[in-house]
Amino acid sequence: MMRGWLAGGAAMVALGSTLALAQGQPADLLPPGFDTPAPTPSPTPTPAPTPRPTAAPAPSPGSAPAPVAQPGEVVQPIPSAPSESASAAELDDLPTLRELENMSADELDELLGLKPKFDIPPAARRSTERVGIIGPQEGGLPVGSLANQPAALVRAALAGTEGRLVSRWGHILLRRALASRLAAPAGMDPVEFAALRAGLLNRMGEHAAARTLVQDVDTADYTSSLTGAALDAYVGTADIVGACPAVRLSRENREGGEWRMLQAICNAYAGEETRAGNDLRRLMNSGAVARIDSLLAQRYAGAAGAGRRAVNVEWDDVEELTPWRFALANALSVEIPEELSGTLAPALQRQTATAPMLPLAQRVEGAGMAAEVGILSSEALIDLYSQIYALDDGEGEARTTAARLRNAYVDADPADRLAALRAIWGDALGQDFGPFVLTAYAAARMPPAEAFAEDAAPLISSMLAAGLDRDAQRWSAVVDDGSLAWGLLAVATPGASASVGGGDIASFLDNDTSAGQHKSRMLVAGLAGLGRIDPSDAGGYGDLRINLDRRSVWTDRIAQAAQADNQALVALLAGLGMQGESWERMTALHLFHIVRALDAVGMNAEARMIAAEAVARA
């Protein structure tokens, strides 16, 4: 995954010295020679006043009635029969009878001007100047953060991030940046900007956030890329009918069987059940789509009508569970065979955690994975297990974990509470991080005492998984200098006074048993990024051979973004530098620049949590 860290690097190199970074309010910092003003847009002509309606002349005998235009609607003329005076060229443009017979219903609607152009009245349409979910007053980033940044750089960062980040806190930070209500970079179409953000949210597994983002743009303004991102978001949330405005109002002829099945389903929910059923059966018989896909679509479309035609979904010879099959099966409550459900791809497993139609026992299987990567918060995971404890009387593993979690909260003896926490964690530290996210608030209830000092590291790791740094700080008087617990607090403790001595770091290196002393590398890089040790001293610790002076296009760009105090651009570039499946792929150089840049733009809490997560999970 090393290549993923610098994906989009070629686009960045092409930018060279043209990077414009905003200082406070967006400002053009391009060097002389690059400040050619953009062409002034021509003024929009003022529309002439609409004349008062007058009585329409009576139609002549035999003439067709004129189409009625609704406010803001462009009425397409209904093709009339060729008159005697029609030219040969006009006759050639008209479809032949055979062509008409071979046209689909959608093509006929387009020809006759019956296809709607938009679903929102003109007075209610929204501007695309600012698109997003959360505004600055709700925790979002400043609206104009990227308004004067180079479009090529932002595009490279968004398109080059493949989705999975090594850091849970990095995922949370990037999601916040992508969901913020932002203006598009200079020179980038706002709809393209929305499509790039929604596409990355989908790749991160944040389909619900992507769906909300695309819904902030009127369907009449959708482009091909935004339509694709919207379809992925709706399928990812099993909200098939939600995609219908984008499907029915699309002005493009998309290819693929999935698109045609969506068209048929949307036609069914628009009252054209017979037409939808015929289209889906033709698709299956033609071989354009797999039988299982068509059967699921027919079953879904059939739910729109009276339900007189039963469709049996047969999983014979199905070897793969695709997002389409998974979404429709879940939406229809169709049981997926165990041999298929047991081989879910990780992305689909994480989707189960946020699928409200699934049983709790099935949702919990992917909940730990979703919490580990940052899709689920600690509170959401606790709530899920609380429902299992309250509603499930079985003896399964999830029920057992829920009972242990309850004991970790309510047992009177702290030693019994710690025993319950240990049972939940097992041997997961550094591997499966989900259990530590689950127990964050229970761990914070543990009293800091010498009797529990041996468990200080997992307790602190759990607290920091939910950002409970003040609770973790209470253990500073209990932990041993140079221990793993000490290293976690060394980077996680808030306040600029948290300086670290070289002797403590040396002790940490001596106690580090991780492969290649990776934890020590992450600790030194995190401390240097937070300014708690001098970066020039990083290479002098043991045999770590850390060189924080190396430069690349990415390090230069994130450093410039931090110098310009641009939180949004720093967040995007940090996400680009944190790609990977595990912390083993993270280098000390990347962590140093990410932590330092976040700290420089006022995101000290995020910087500390990412550094602490690196030490805990490396």
Side-chain angles (χ1 to χ4, degrees):
M1 299 298 296
M2 183 72 72
R3 60 181 179 80
W5 292 334
L6 298 181
M12 297 183 191
V13 174
L15 294 174
S17 61
T18 65
L19 177 65
L21 295 167
Q23 302 271 6
Q25 296 297 324
D28 189 356
L29 300 182
L30 292 176
F34 288 84
D35 53 355
T36 305
T40 304
S42 349
T44 305
T46 304
T50 305
R52 276 188 159 183
T54 57
S60 57
S63 63
V68 179
Q70 299 299 325
E73 180 182 3
V74 179
V75 177
Q76 302 293 334
I78 300 178
S80 58
S83 64
E84 294 180 0
S85 59
S87 66
E90 291 173 330
L91 289 174
D92 290 339
D93 291 337
L94 292 174
T96 65
L97 180 58
R98 182 177 297 276
E99 289 173 337
L100 287 171
E101 290 175 345
N102 293 329
M103 281 185 178
S104 66
D106 290 324
E107 291 171 334
L108 285 172
D109 287 347
E110 185 74 29
L111 176 67
L112 299 176
L114 301 178
K115 190 171 184 178
K117 301 299 180 185
F118 46 79
D119 59 343
I120 299 177
R125 293 182 203 167
R126 297 164 295 180
S127 169
T128 57
E129 181 180 358
R130 299 174 179 180
V131 175
I133 305 171
I134 51 176
Q137 69 279 7
E138 302 163 323
L141 301 183
V143 172
S145 297
L146 303 174
N148 207 47
Q149 303 310 315
L153 177 60
V154 176
R155 186 181 294 111
L158 292 173
T161 305
E162 297 180 358
R164 177 69 189 274
L165 306 186
V166 300
S167 169
R168 163 182 164 79
W169 281 106
H171 178 108
I172 294 170
L173 170 65
L174 183 57
R175 177 182 61 201
R176 175 185 167 202
L178 296 173
S180 294
R181 190 168 297 122
L182 299 173
M188 181 184 291
D189 181 76
V191 178
E192 180 196 0
F193 185 45
L196 287 169
R197 291 154 62 194
L200 179 50
L201 284 169
N202 282 324
R203 296 193 297 275
M204 294 169 61
E206 296 285 354
H207 299 292
R211 179 180 62 179
T212 308
L213 180 65
V214 299
Q215 287 174 343
D216 200 38
V217 179
D218 293 345
T219 49
D221 296 324
Y222 275 29
T223 61
S224 177
S225 57
L226 186 58
T227 300
L231 297 183
D232 289 341
Y234 284 114
V235 171
T237 53
D239 183 10
I240 307 302
V241 175
C244 286
V247 173
R248 291 181 62 81
L249 298 176
S250 176
R251 296 184 295 272
E252 57 179 317
N253 294 320
R254 297 179 70 91
E255 300 293 336
E258 189 173 309
W259 173 256
R260 295 169 67 183
M261 286 188 290
L262 278 171
Q263 286 180 315
I265 289 174
C266 294
N267 289 338
Y269 282 85
E272 303 173 19
E273 299 94 339
T274 302
R275 166 188 170 187
N278 293 336
D279 288 346
L280 288 171
R281 284 190 293 274
R282 278 196 296 267
L283 268 176
M284 182 175 64
N285 294 333
S286 68
V289 298
R291 177 179 175 80
I292 182 61
D293 295 336
S294 180
L295 290 175
L296 288 168
Q298 290 180 53
R299 179 85 165 263
Y300 197 99
R308 296 188 183 94
R309 186 177 183 278
V311 177
N312 293 324
V313 178
E314 301 171 351
W315 295 93
D316 298 341
D317 301 325
V318 177
E319 298 179 354
E320 180 185 7
L321 199 59
T322 63
W324 171 265
R325 297 165 187 172
F326 186 67
L328 264 70
N330 289 339
L332 292 166
S333 296
V334 172
E335 185 176 356
I336 299 173
E338 185 175 351
E339 59 270 19
L340 284 175
S341 60
T343 59
L344 282 178
L348 294 182
Q349 285 183 298
R350 290 190 285 268
Q351 284 184 30
T352 61
T354 54
M357 73 288 292
L358 295 180
L360 292 174
Q362 188 174 349
R363 290 180 59 190
V364 78
E365 293 177 5
M369 297 175 61
E372 179 179 354
V373 301
I375 295 174
L376 283 188
S377 67
S378 178
E379 293 181 359
L381 191 58
I382 293 169
D383 183 62
L384 180 60
Y385 275 94
S386 299
Q387 294 179 59
I388 291 174
Y389 183 84
L391 301 176
D392 187 358
D393 296 329
E395 298 296 333
E397 182 179 349
R399 168 71 180 185
T400 300
T401 300
R404 288 170 175 167
L405 182 63
R406 183 179 184 277
N407 293 338
Y409 277 97
V410 304
D411 276 349
D413 188 350
D416 291 337
R417 299 206 301 271
L418 180 59
L421 291 173
R422 286 173 175 168
I424 295 174
W425 296 332
D427 298 325
L429 185 58
Q431 301 174 14
D432 182 7
F433 202 60
F436 294 91
V437 179
L438 173 64
T439 59
Y441 290 91
R445 293 168 58 87
M446 287 293 300
E450 292 288 346
F452 309 133
E454 291 185 1
D455 294 282
L459 286 168
I460 293 171
S461 296
S462 184
M463 287 182 256
L464 296 178
L468 305 178
D469 53 353
R470 297 290 181 181
D471 296 280
Q473 189 178 2
R474 296 184 299 131
W475 287 78
S476 58
V478 176
V479 303
D480 296 328
D481 292 341
S483 65
L484 176 58
W486 170 87
L488 293 170
L489 292 177
V491 291
T493 301
S497 60
S499 57
V500 179
D504 294 331
I505 298 176
S507 297
F508 186 91
L509 267 65
D510 293 338
N511 296 326
D512 184 8
T513 59
S514 62
Q517 291 192 304
H518 200 46
K519 287 184 181 293
S520 298
R521 294 173 180 274
M522 297 297 99
L523 174 65
V524 172
L527 291 172
L530 291 168
R532 297 179 180 181
I533 63 172
D534 193 322
S536 62
D537 295 337
Y541 292 104
D543 298 326
L544 298 183
R545 296 187 298 276
I546 297 176
N547 181 10
L548 301 182
D549 293 328
R550 288 191 296 115
R551 295 177 56 182
S552 67
V553 175
W554 177 83
T555 62
D556 289 345
R557 296 299 176 263
I558 197 170
Q560 289 174 311
Q563 185 180 6
D565 196 23
N566 193 307
Q567 292 183 340
L569 194 54
V570 165
L572 296 184
L573 292 171
L576 184 65
M578 280 190 283
Q579 296 184 83
E581 296 293 329
S582 70
W583 278 99
E584 296 176 358
R585 309 301 300 173
M586 174 61 70
T587 68
L589 180 68
H590 280 76
L591 182 65
F592 165 69
H593 281 281
I594 289 168
V595 171
R596 184 169 69 168
L598 290 173
D599 186 49
V601 297
M603 292 181 168
N604 175 263
E606 289 85 349
R608 289 185 288 108
M609 292 304 100
I610 290 174
E613 184 185 358
V615 175
R617 300 180 62 186

